[in-house]
Amino acid sequence: KGPLPLDEALRIARQIADALEAAHEKGITHRDLKPGNIKIKPDGTVKVLDFGLAKVGRAAGASGENSPTLTMGMTEAGMILGTAAYMAPEQARGKEVDRRADIWAFGVVLLEMLTGVSSFAGETVSDTLASVLKSDPNFARLPADTPASVRRLLKRCLERDRRNRLHDIADARLEIDA
């Protein structure tokens, strides 16, 4: 429905980061973070829902929205699980994922909140997956007054190589707070 004002988008993003941080601290990777799984209550409280594709692993410390959720097979590596437009590149390739896949999806959601458009939409699921794998996010659509710190956060969340991506959602939360 269009971009959100920066303050509102960051307020929502902060609460999403809190929810992901709580899950990650319990060793849970959501694997299907998307706007349809984020609800805002009338009092402004944000809830992250639908952990149906979540993966439980080691505890921490240890529009495209309409693209279908893919649930081919079980949850082992080599199977594609999630919603195409919000998948991290490694997830789209069917590789093993960790919390950095949620950080990618967080970046996609935040970019979409700020621009009002899907970053990786395609005509078909295959086109959307190809876009995730090959297209760069369109940072040029960010409002001109988007602070450099928010641009930097988005770029760190949306690093195609997960080794260069933020490693912990708490870092995103700290950036938003700063």
Side-chain angles (χ1 to χ4, degrees):
K1 296 180 181 180
L4 296 175
L6 178 66
D7 288 346
E8 184 178 355
L10 291 179
R11 181 187 61 75
I12 293 167
R14 169 64 159 83
Q15 292 183 66
I16 296 168
D18 280 342
L20 288 176
E21 185 176 8
H24 292 173
E25 286 175 351
K26 291 176 178 65
I28 299 169
T29 303
H30 191 285
R31 297 197 303 184
D32 197 24
L33 184 70
K34 59 185 177 183
N37 288 340
I38 300 165
K39 298 298 179 205
I40 303 172
K41 294 172 48 174
D43 69 358
T45 304
V46 175
K47 298 287 185 183
V48 174
L49 307 172
D50 194 0
F51 281 76
L53 296 181
K55 176 183 173 191
V56 179
R58 292 191 321 247
S63 80
E65 159 120 12
N66 294 324
S67 63
T69 298
L70 303 177
T71 57
M72 296 187 245
M74 298 305 287
T75 60
E76 66 266 7
M79 298 299 158
I80 299 174
L81 297 161
T83 302
Y86 300 91
M87 285 184 184
E90 63 273 15
Q91 190 175 7
R93 288 186 173 97
K95 294 184 176 180
E96 185 69 27
V97 299
D98 60 22
R99 62 187 174 195
R100 291 172 291 181
D102 287 347
I103 292 169
W104 171 278
F106 170 85
V108 174
V109 169
L110 178 55
L111 183 59
E112 191 171 315
M113 284 192 290
L114 293 171
T115 63
V117 297
S118 178
S119 294
F120 301 106
E123 187 176 332
T124 67
V125 173
S126 297
D127 293 333
T128 300
L129 289 172
S131 181
V132 166
L133 293 172
K134 301 294 182 188
S135 300
D136 290 326
N138 193 345
F139 296 118
R141 291 186 149 216
L142 284 168
D145 62 346
T146 303
S149 60
V150 173
R151 290 174 185 274
R152 210 171 27 255
L153 172 61
L154 286 165
K155 287 180 180 177
R156 294 283 318 277
C157 289
L158 295 171
E159 279 287 339
R160 200 162 299 292
D161 182 343
R162 69 179 171 181
R163 294 172 302 171
N164 296 328
R165 200 175 302 146
L166 282 183
H167 286 216
D168 199 303
I169 195 67
D171 296 332
R173 178 183 50 77
L174 293 171
E175 280 294 319
I176 292 168
D177 286 349

